Amino acid sequence: METRVGSRACACVALLLFALHASLGHEHIKLQEDEETAEELKLRAPEGDVRVQVSGRALVPGVRTQDWVAHARVLLDGDTHVGFIREDGGFSVSDVPSGSYVLEISSPTYRFQPVRVDITATGKMRARVVDYIRTSEVIRLPYPLQMRCLGLHSYFIQRETWIWSDFLMNPMVLMMVLPLLIIVLLPKVMNSSDPEMKREMEQSMNMLNSNQDLPDVSEIVTRFFSPPKSHGRAGGGARASVGVAQGVRGGASSVRGGAPRRRSKINTAVTSSE
Amino acid sequence: MAWLVVRLAISLSLLYTASAVFEDQVGKFDWREQFIGKVRFALFDTHSQASKKLLVATDKNVFASLNSRTGDLFWRHVDKTGPEGHIDALLMYGQDAVVVVGNGRLLRSWETTVGGLKWEAVLDTGSFQAAALIGVQDFVKYVAVLKKSAISLHDLSSGSQIWVENLPDSDTVQYQTIYSGGNGLVFVLGFVPSSHIVIVEYKIEDGEIMKKKSVEAAWMSSLENSCAVISSGNLLCVDQITQSLYTLPLQSAEHTEMRQIHLQTLDLEVASGFQPVLTSTQPNPAQPPLAEFFLQLSPDHHILLQLKDDLIAPLRDFNPSYLAAFATSGEKTVAAVMTPKNDTVSHISKTLFLKKVFLCIYLYCNGLFFLLKACSINLFSADTGRRHLDTTIIYHMDPNGGKPNRLYVHAFLKKDDSVGYRVMVQTEDLTLTFLQQPGRVVWMREEALADVVTMEMVDLPLTGTQAELEGEFGKKADGLLPMVLKRLSSQFILLQAWMAHLWKLFYDARKPRSSVKNEVTIDTLSRDEFNLQKMMVMVTASGKLFGIDSKSGTVLWKQYLEDIQPNSIFKLIVQRTTAHFPHPPQCTLLIKDKDTGLGSLYVFNPIFGKKSHISVPALPRPVLQTLLLPVIDQDYAKVLLLIDDQYKVTAFPSTKNVLQQLQDTASSVFFYLVDSSQGKLSGFRLRMDLSTELIWEVVIPTEVQKIVAVKGKRANEHVHSQGRVMGDRSVLYKYLNPNLLAVITESTDMHQERSFVGIFLIDGVTGRIVHEAVQRKARGPVHFVHSENWLVYVYWNSKFRRNEFSVLELFEGAELYNSTVFSSLDRPHPPQVLQQSYIFPAPISTLEATLTEKGITSRHLLVGMPSGNILSLPKMFLDPRRPELISEQSREENLIPYAPEMPIRTEWFINYNQTVSRVRGIYTAPSGLESTCLVVVYGLDIYQTRVFPSKQFDVLKDDYDYILISSVLFGLFFATMISKRLAEVKLLNRAWR
């Protein structure tokens, strides 16, 4: 049940990951029961009767505390211990037994980084960064806790809206529109220039056009859009190249079933000239 | 850092496949209802006249402020569950509310306008007895908290403790109440049972004991309800055995004995076996209480009495009366009394005599009960007992509800200085009704829904026209012409309905928007074209059943089942769906007492909530297990088997037809029983005579581990694909055993180094253990989902202190043993089992999987979190085939490379900021659209939404740009027309040339 886009993106990431994997080497941490000496084993002393108060301060910059504290709660390890935030932003969670807890501020609007709080059997406390993979790593944070809002929760994804500028700036559209513009505009520019120059141009075009069997679309379109009166004037100049492009043009005209009569006239003219 | 990149990459890759909410979808198909629970304390804010605040504290440890005009929540604070968050007392003074929490452990002061915490104070341990506001010289400054052995005084504005004093002789004396009359003294009242009352007098400033005296009271059994302080420090007690009132002035030194007043002298008598209750009122904590008080003599008899010059005089006798309460506004104190409405009784009795018998019976069934239960509430002046004129509120009791048991009165002064009032009535079924004169229901809250135990979703019935169309296919062909005619006629009816619908749309469009309200009523209920709207049948712990429209959240019917034991277990079974027109749908509720195991059945129609009059089998023995068979009786009701503790089987319905069918299929009916106290799982087979035989038994020794949960697969689940296509184009077939049971055990040793969680996959028919896994250094609570060929479970890793997900997937291998039919009895090859584990970086409260009609849509796991969010986690992340090293084949299969940590994105929260407090369960149901799964989350709140795990692939998107597509079409059309015209002109010109 995947979209094509998803699978393609996934494949890209897979490549990226492959590259990363080589660099990771044996740092790879797996969820297996490997015997690891945890530094804070002493923290897990049998739970005594020590009950402490975890306190700190939460801050949402630029927002009055009254506006958000009524909907926020302080949660320790889910909702095993709950605290509320005071009107000055301070909070305290009472009666927490010794152990290690993840303290988070749950607010439906604002996002906070959770903090791990370790309480020893003697009631000493420290705060550190939550790392679920390297659980023994200690990056100390200040205690009493300073919880700073990281921004708003982004619950919604943007709709793909259809805007003209987006459409026009799309590379595919640009690739299609720009040549079209050139094709339409170029003959107009050419008309005013002298036939010598035009012949030169066409010669260089032929040089570029190495594959003779393919229909030369640009030429057909050029001819199609150029005003009919130019043929009368530039006829002699064009003749040299016509012979080369003859088969091509014939093929193209047969492909484009309802081609204008004008072109078939040129075709007959070419055959008669030969 | 590197892992961060990997994680980022993975989550980015899945952005496209995971479902999320768009901002414009807010409230479109989802709704949330917030509840508070059973109200224990309710206080109206009488601080200012215009205040709409109603502060409530409930048994769900919720402290909230309600808007008394609408019943909506201003704010709500949900504390910890259990006794540690229990709200012991609620006091209010001015803008502040003081709450005592956790058996007197915490004292919190809340600012009531925005709901912010002002201060919090931790008190010493000790069991809480009472709390009171203490005023000094007409100004309330302190709050006193009485514990079993100590009393403490706190400052009201800062929470700081002024003093704490130990109570004298606290090991023998039971101190229960606290009293202060605003004269600089605090009285603590205690008693020694059947001996004497102790009165200790403290000075407010420093807590010095001023006086201590004991008064003889040999009759005393409890202080709390039978005693009250009235009228400038007179202790008043009532005793049922001696049938007397006792008074004692608290302050006077010379009184050493309580003065006895026999109730007979007042012409009163306490009903036998009833503990009389005294209710006094102290409008201002800095002033002594009023001299008037209520004495409740029997459940429906109150009397208003007054103490004047040491004499007790009755002011007014209310007989009969259900409830009575005092209320104060400004200087005036009034009493509201709820009495049964007398005139309706006489009216009914008159009708009974006049009308014919059959009408009487009809009335008796439908109206009598209801009419008799209309009550009137009247206001009386407290100091005289005189009735205020034109203050009657008629309260009509819900015929499907319970009796009123609490009355809260909000009195206010009208412009002409008379007292007006509104009342809030709480009934046994936890309905809060807010009434104003002359009986208009301002709002109503169904607080029973704060404790939903189980629920089901039932399809709505078809409308008449839809049924007509459907009926065409069911019947046998009776010739070509009648068929054509019938089709034409039904199409014509459809056309008619459509025209009517269009007309209604047109008609409504002209009206102002506010007046157009799509009121959902039971009569207009019908299935929508994609079956997205269903009836939610919810069973609550209080024994009240609800039928809720899933689209709007409107309660369509409710039914209160009386005499339900508080610790009952409920099981709701849908026996017949709405698909069998004209047979009504049928639900059966099994109510089982937790202690005795004795059960009873309640059969009802889930659409209308009416009780069915089907004879229900009596269940004299405890029910151990229920089993819903696919066997249907002649009325299309599925057969329910109930197994009792002697392994006897009762069938419901048990008609002859059913019994016949059961005899035919008995050899293939197996069931299992779990006895977690003995650690025994046993399998049984049904015999022809509806007795059973034991086939297998698995014993899990209880000394080591105990069974915590056993779950099979959901019966209505469909698996679309038999296998998975691998990268090399071979197929890995799934092991789809419908009889598989997942058994979760937890070790009895809770030491974090030795604790473990065990997982057994047992075939329910043969008892064979298909797979066994042990998760070491892990403990519960284990949440798990068992579906298709996989089992996902979450446990707590006690070594690393984190939640971990583990997934088990079972495969048959590259070949299917018997591709047509699965039989547990004939499976020689054990399945291949793959397992992988992941870290889940958040706590979990519940787990469920999405479910769709045909099982084509990819599955998501719905994870309820304590923060109130519901995470929709793609099952793709929980795939044991996620490779560590990426190969060409894994890329071909779209497998995400293994990463230990599970990503959590806020975009995956299906309920955005509509958090659901204390998620208890998630219910998923398929809809008529394959892409859509209906989700109901219940806990303290109820949240209903739809999820699209693979996006909405079978309907046009919400934002489908009709304007663009039609403008392009029209543009092309006109361009064709114009160019055609131009071409013609050109041809013509050329022809002329």
Side-chain angles (χ1 to χ4, degrees):
Chain A
M1 280 293 117
E2 258 150 69
T3 56
R4 280 253 342 130
V5 186
S7 60
R8 208 179 300 149
C10 198
C12 294
V13 171
L15 270 174
L16 188 90
L17 284 176
F18 191 72
L20 274 171
H21 203 91
S23 67
L24 278 170
H26 55 268
E27 258 181 49
H28 196 115
I29 296 145
K30 263 168 46 180
L31 263 176
Q32 280 180 356
E33 298 163 48
D34 44 357
E35 289 310 311
E36 190 186 303
T37 50
E39 179 260 341
E40 74 273 49
L41 258 169
K42 55 181 177 287
L43 275 173
R44 291 189 223 130
E47 288 182 17
D49 285 313
V50 175
R51 295 223 156 199
V52 292
Q53 191 176 48
V54 179
S55 56
R57 180 175 290 272
L59 182 71
V60 181
V63 181
R64 287 191 308 159
T65 43
Q66 301 96 291
D67 295 343
W68 68 276
V69 291
H71 303 284
R73 289 201 297 169
V74 182
L75 302 176
L76 251 77
D77 271 5
D79 50 3
T80 45
H81 299 279
V82 178
F84 297 99
I85 302 170
R86 285 192 299 272
E87 283 180 319
D88 59 352
F91 62 84
S92 55
V93 185
S94 312
D95 281 352
V96 184
S98 63
S100 179
Y101 302 90
V102 174
L103 182 142
E104 57 180 328
I105 292 187
S106 124
S107 160
T109 325
Y110 301 101
R111 193 158 50 92
F112 293 87
Q113 190 79 41
V115 170
R116 187 175 279 282
V117 178
D118 298 325
I119 305 165
T120 59
T122 53
K124 277 190 188 146
M125 266 183 278
R126 70 168 179 201
R128 58 189 173 108
V129 173
V130 178
D131 191 334
Y132 285 106
I133 297 174
R134 282 178 290 263
T135 48
S136 53
E137 197 169 85
V138 180
I139 303 169
R140 291 288 283 264
L141 290 172
Y143 186 88
L145 302 164
Q146 295 292 324
M147 311 288 283
R148 214 181 150 80
C149 171
L150 298 176
L152 297 166
H153 282 300
S154 62
Y155 291 117
F156 305 109
I157 50 170
Q158 285 294 313
R159 279 234 187 256
E160 290 165 21
T161 47
W162 201 88
I163 307 166
W164 280 102
S165 59
D166 278 7
F167 177 73
L168 290 178
M169 286 300 135
N170 190 339
M172 292 300 277
V173 174
L174 281 180
M175 268 162 65
M176 290 201 18
V177 168
L178 275 179
L180 202 78
L181 281 176
I182 292 164
I183 291 159
V184 174
L185 292 178
L186 221 58
K188 305 226 173 192
V189 182
M190 290 296 161
N191 278 342
S192 55
S193 63
D194 61 329
E196 288 290 320
M197 176 121 167
K198 198 161 187 179
R199 198 185 303 135
E200 226 170 87
M201 280 277 290
E202 267 167 11
Q203 267 170 357
S204 61
M205 287 287 275
N206 286 336
M207 290 274 281
L208 283 171
N209 204 0
S210 54
N211 196 346
Q212 304 282 325
D213 297 333
L214 275 179
D216 187 356
V217 183
S218 63
E219 200 170 326
I220 297 159
V221 177
T222 317
R223 291 207 174 274
F224 179 65
F225 281 104
S226 51
K229 60 176 178 180
S230 70
H231 284 278
R233 251 203 296 151
R239 200 159 290 167
S241 69
V242 165
V244 185
Q246 175 212 349
V248 177
R249 223 180 292 121
S253 62
S254 66
V255 168
R256 297 175 62 99
R261 252 176 76 190
R262 184 180 70 237
R263 214 189 302 161
S264 55
K265 213 191 275 171
I266 298 165
N267 266 340
T268 46
V270 171
T271 37
S272 66
S273 75
E274 278 174 355
Chain B
M1 186 59 212
W3 276 111
L4 200 78
V5 176
V6 174
R7 254 181 278 159
L8 196 81
I10 291 166
S11 43
L12 274 178
S13 78
L14 270 125
L15 192 74
Y16 295 100
T17 52
S19 71
V21 186
F22 296 108
E23 195 154 7
D24 52 273
Q25 286 178 327
V26 167
K28 211 166 171 183
F29 44 73
D30 64 325
W31 52 264
R32 177 181 67 165
E33 293 282 334
Q34 290 186 305
F35 299 98
I36 47 174
K38 181 185 179 179
V39 173
R40 293 184 63 239
F41 306 101
L43 294 173
F44 288 94
D45 182 13
T46 49
H47 189 64
S48 71
Q49 285 295 318
S51 177
K52 293 183 275 188
K53 282 195 294 278
L54 163 60
L55 293 180
V56 286
T58 70
D59 69 336
K60 293 261 168 237
N61 304 351
V62 172
F63 176 51
S65 169
L66 297 176
N67 183 339
S68 65
R69 307 282 155 83
T70 60
D72 298 332
L73 285 169
F74 279 128
W75 46 261
R76 184 181 71 172
H77 291 292
V78 181
D79 209 339
K80 197 169 13 169
T81 49
E84 285 183 65
H86 184 259
I87 298 174
D88 302 311
L90 167 66
L91 306 165
M92 190 179 173
Y93 184 72
Q95 289 294 308
D96 299 339
V98 178
V99 175
V100 185
V101 181
N103 203 2
R105 183 71 179 138
L106 289 169
L107 195 63
R108 288 194 183 119
S109 172
W110 298 92
E111 204 283 319
T112 53
T113 328
V114 294
L117 183 64
K118 284 185 74 172
W119 50 260
E120 187 179 73
V122 184
L123 309 183
D124 297 332
T125 48
S127 97
F128 172 81
Q129 298 297 331
L133 292 171
I134 308 291
V136 185
Q137 282 145 9
D138 287 356
F139 193 70
V140 179
K141 275 168 83 176
Y142 308 108
V143 56
V145 178
L146 178 70
K147 297 277 190 90
K148 198 173 173 356
S149 59
I151 174 170
S152 58
L153 196 74
H154 300 261
D155 189 80
L156 198 57
S157 55
S158 68
S160 57
Q161 185 176 290
I162 310 287
W163 50 261
V164 58
E165 290 295 326
N166 282 326
L167 296 165
D169 310 325
S170 60
D171 44 347
T172 51
V173 185
Q174 295 177 23
Y175 291 98
Q176 283 189 336
T177 34
I178 204 164
Y179 162 75
S180 168
N183 52 359
L185 293 169
V186 180
F187 295 90
V188 175
L189 309 176
F191 74 102
V192 179
S194 313
S195 171
H196 59 275
I197 296 179
V198 179
I199 299 159
V200 191
E201 206 175 304
Y202 288 92
K203 209 163 119 187
I204 285 181
E205 285 78 33
D206 52 3
E208 189 190 332
I209 296 181
M210 304 297 287
K211 217 181 283 172
K212 177 175 177 275
K213 66 175 176 182
S214 55
V215 178
E216 198 77 10
W219 40 268
M220 179 70 85
S221 59
S222 166
L223 244 157
E224 235 167 329
N225 280 326
S226 58
C227 286
V229 179
I230 53 164
S231 171
S232 60
N234 274 298
L235 179 67
L236 184 77
C237 292
V238 62
D239 180 47
Q240 184 221 335
I241 295 152
T242 54
Q243 294 271 344
S244 9
L245 286 168
Y246 297 88
T247 61
L248 176 79
L250 286 175
Q251 268 171 298
S252 69
E254 61 266 30
H255 287 81
T256 51
E257 207 168 288
M258 293 189 90
R259 194 158 63 87
Q260 189 176 12
I261 303 163
H262 280 283
L263 284 171
Q264 276 172 339
T265 58
L266 299 163
D267 272 351
L268 298 172
E269 196 186 351
V270 177
S272 63
F274 182 77
Q275 178 69 39
V277 179
L278 276 174
T279 316
S280 68
T281 179
Q282 187 174 10
N284 186 348
Q287 301 271 330
L290 297 185
E292 292 79 23
F293 60 95
F294 271 114
L295 173 63
Q296 189 179 4
L297 296 165
S298 76
D300 52 358
H301 187 191
H302 292 79
I303 185 159
L304 183 67
L305 298 154
Q306 188 184 39
L307 179 81
K308 205 174 185 181
D309 309 329
D310 282 355
L311 283 172
I312 289 175
L315 288 176
R316 198 176 180 114
D317 194 356
F318 301 101
N319 191 13
S321 61
Y322 294 138
L323 299 163
F326 285 110
T328 306
S329 175
E331 293 298 303
K332 291 185 180 172
T333 299
V334 288
V337 179
M338 182 189 264
T339 50
K341 202 160 175 288
N342 288 327
D343 46 334
T344 51
V345 182
S346 56
H347 174 71
I348 283 300
S349 50
K350 240 183 265 171
T351 349
L352 281 171
F353 285 117
L354 290 172
K355 303 282 175 180
K356 285 175 188 166
V357 180
F358 73 90
L359 191 64
C360 295
I361 293 163
Y362 174 77
L363 260 173
Y364 187 77
C365 295
N366 291 289
L368 183 66
F369 181 75
F370 169 68
L371 281 171
L372 273 179
K373 291 295 167 84
C375 297
S376 66
I377 303 160
N378 281 295
L379 209 59
F380 299 88
S381 123
D383 43 357
T384 59
R386 196 173 297 137
R387 192 165 88 92
H388 286 240
L389 290 174
D390 300 327
T391 54
T392 308
I393 290 181
I394 311 269
Y395 169 65
H396 290 284
M397 275 176 61
D398 186 357
N400 302 326
K403 288 201 258 326
N405 58 4
R406 293 293 282 275
L407 184 70
Y408 302 97
V409 184
H410 179 213
F412 54 89
L413 288 175
K414 288 188 197 163
K415 282 189 187 109
D416 58 348
D417 222 30
S418 65
V419 182
Y421 76 120
R422 302 186 187 94
V423 290
M424 186 171 80
V425 182
Q426 179 171 288
T427 54
E428 280 174 343
D429 57 327
L430 309 185
T431 308
L432 290 178
T433 317
F434 195 75
L435 299 146
Q436 70 177 35
Q437 287 178 37
R440 192 173 75 86
V441 176
V442 185
W443 51 262
M444 212 166 175
R445 290 182 70 91
E446 292 291 353
E447 289 307 329
L449 285 171
D451 206 351
V452 174
V453 182
T454 177
M455 67 165 291
E456 283 290 340
M457 267 184 157
V458 183
D459 293 352
L460 291 175
L462 297 165
T463 56
T465 48
Q466 283 171 330
E468 180 87 5
L469 264 183
E470 293 282 326
E472 209 177 303
F473 301 109
K475 280 168 200 153
K476 279 178 192 149
D478 33 280
L480 192 65
L481 198 66
M483 283 279 278
V484 171
L485 284 177
K486 199 165 163 45
R487 163 50 64 93
L488 280 178
S489 70
S490 54
Q491 293 284 16
F492 180 73
I493 292 166
L494 271 187
L495 184 74
Q496 240 180 345
W498 187 65
M499 295 292 274
H501 176 70
L502 278 188
W503 172 247
K504 193 175 175 292
L505 273 185
F506 175 70
Y507 194 75
D508 284 347
R510 294 190 310 173
K511 280 198 264 180
R513 180 154 295 185
S514 57
S515 68
V516 182
K517 232 182 194 176
N518 277 327
E519 280 284 303
V520 189
T521 58
I522 271 187
D523 309 314
T524 59
L525 272 186
S526 67
R527 198 182 298 183
D528 60 334
E529 51 191 331
F530 295 131
N531 200 5
L532 292 167
Q533 187 180 4
K534 294 196 182 197
M535 177 68 86
M536 291 158 53
V537 181
M538 297 192 128
V539 182
T540 63
S542 63
K544 197 168 185 182
L545 310 181
F546 289 90
I548 300 174
D549 170 35
S550 77
K551 196 178 183 183
S552 59
T554 325
V555 175
L556 294 173
W557 58 263
K558 49 202 170 188
Q559 181 70 50
Y560 179 57
L561 308 179
E562 278 168 60
D563 52 75
I564 295 274
Q565 296 302 312
N567 58 348
S568 294
I569 306 168
F570 297 93
K571 188 165 183 182
L572 186 64
I573 303 131
V574 182
Q575 277 196 293
R576 181 165 56 217
T577 60
T578 34
H580 307 287
F581 188 79
H583 298 286
Q586 183 182 323
C587 272
T588 302
L589 181 70
L590 173 70
I591 307 150
K592 200 170 113 179
D593 193 281
K594 204 178 230 166
D595 300 328
T596 60
L598 289 173
S600 61
L601 292 175
Y602 178 80
V603 186
F604 63 101
N605 179 335
I607 302 297
F608 301 107
K610 294 214 175 67
K611 190 179 176 179
S612 305
H613 301 286
I614 294 174
S615 60
V616 172
L619 303 169
R621 302 211 60 86
V623 178
L624 295 182
Q625 175 74 291
T626 57
L627 198 62
L628 190 69
L629 293 185
V631 176
I632 50 170
D633 70 348
Q634 67 271 35
D635 291 340
Y636 303 99
K638 282 184 186 167
V639 175
L640 182 69
L641 295 188
L642 302 146
I643 295 109
D644 64 22
D645 64 342
Q646 290 181 332
Y647 313 119
K648 287 273 182 332
V649 174
T650 315
F652 171 69
S654 55
T655 56
K656 215 171 177 184
N657 180 334
V658 168
L659 295 177
Q660 182 62 46
Q661 286 190 62
L662 275 180
Q663 278 187 7
D664 298 342
T665 53
S667 60
S668 62
V669 175
F670 298 84
F671 61 90
Y672 70 94
L673 295 176
V674 187
D675 186 350
S676 58
S677 61
Q678 291 178 35
K680 202 164 73 179
L681 274 147
S682 33
F684 291 84
R685 189 169 76 182
L686 196 66
R687 284 216 196 106
M688 302 278 266
D689 56 345
L690 292 189
S691 62
T692 54
E693 65 178 315
L694 183 74
I695 298 181
W696 56 267
E697 205 168 49
V698 174
V699 178
I700 295 164
T702 47
E703 304 86 62
V704 186
Q705 52 192 334
K706 57 176 191 296
I707 300 171
V708 286
V710 180
K711 236 190 240 180
K713 290 174 189 174
R714 286 178 69 157
N716 57 347
E717 154 185 299
H718 290 274
V719 182
H720 183 254
S721 55
Q722 287 277 306
R724 287 184 59 162
V725 181
M726 315 274 282
D728 58 358
R729 298 287 180 272
S730 64
V731 176
L732 187 62
Y733 286 99
K734 294 175 185 170
Y735 178 77
L736 297 168
N737 184 349
N739 310 318
L740 201 63
L741 301 173
V743 181
I744 304 286
T745 63
E746 276 176 37
S747 62
T748 45
D749 187 354
M750 289 312 286
H751 188 271
Q752 56 187 3
E753 290 293 315
R754 296 187 293 272
S755 66
F756 64 89
V757 167
I759 300 97
F760 298 87
L761 294 176
I762 297 177
D763 190 300
V765 171
T766 58
R768 180 198 296 172
I769 297 177
V770 174
H771 183 68
E772 189 179 345
V774 170
Q775 212 74 45
R776 289 191 197 285
K777 288 172 189 159
R779 62 176 165 82
V782 181
H783 305 279
F784 65 108
V785 176
H786 184 202
S787 178
E788 282 188 43
N789 65 329
W790 49 264
L791 173 79
V792 171
Y793 56 93
V794 195
Y795 53 89
W796 175 259
N797 184 326
S798 50
K799 184 181 178 188
F800 295 111
R801 290 188 300 267
R802 62 193 179 201
N803 276 309
E804 285 178 13
F805 260 110
S806 196
V807 57
L808 278 171
E809 274 193 28
L810 286 84
F811 291 100
E812 293 230 339
E815 275 172 45
L816 269 183
Y817 175 70
N818 181 354
S819 58
T820 48
V821 151
F822 188 95
S823 169
S824 288
L825 303 169
D826 180 28
R827 281 283 131 168
H829 313 296
Q832 301 170 8
V833 183
L834 302 175
Q835 181 164 19
Q836 230 171 36
S837 298
Y838 317 88
I839 301 165
F840 189 73
I844 286 180
S845 41
T846 182
L847 192 68
E848 188 52 79
T850 61
L851 191 70
T852 52
E853 177 106 37
K854 296 271 179 266
I856 300 167
T857 309
S858 60
R859 306 291 294 270
H860 275 205
L861 288 171
L862 300 171
V863 186
M865 306 209 273
S867 58
N869 295 307
I870 313 297
L871 178 78
S872 178
L873 188 69
K875 169 72 179 57
M876 246 174 125
F877 278 104
L878 294 153
D879 185 347
R881 302 188 60 251
R882 280 174 71 173
E884 279 174 40
L885 286 166
I886 301 142
S887 66
E888 191 67 41
Q889 290 192 0
S890 69
R891 209 173 305 154
E892 190 82 5
E893 270 188 80
N894 284 325
L895 292 175
I896 314 159
Y898 180 80
E901 198 170 338
M902 199 68 79
I904 296 181
R905 298 175 56 88
T906 46
E907 283 90 344
W908 294 350
F909 290 155
I910 57 170
N911 57 341
Y912 46 105
N913 66 357
Q914 305 285 298
T915 51
V916 184
S917 291
R918 297 206 193 120
V919 183
R920 186 171 179 168
I922 300 176
Y923 180 86
T924 52
S927 73
L929 281 176
E930 172 54 35
S931 67
T932 310
C933 168
L934 305 175
V935 177
V936 181
V937 185
Y938 55 89
L940 189 61
D941 305 336
I942 296 174
Y943 180 76
Q944 192 275 143
T945 190
R946 299 172 194 162
V947 289
F948 319 101
S950 302
K951 290 198 165 183
Q952 284 177 287
F953 58 83
D954 47 5
V955 278
L956 286 182
K957 276 190 277 181
D958 287 347
D959 61 338
Y960 187 76
D961 207 336
Y962 292 96
I963 298 165
L964 181 78
I965 203 97
S966 46
S967 62
V968 165
L969 273 177
F970 278 112
L972 282 174
F973 178 72
F974 285 118
T976 324
M977 298 291 280
I978 292 162
S979 55
K980 193 180 170 193
R981 176 82 193 130
L982 285 176
E984 274 172 9
V985 170
K986 207 168 191 176
L987 274 175
L988 195 67
N989 285 344
R990 195 172 297 151
W992 277 106
R993 203 183 296 160

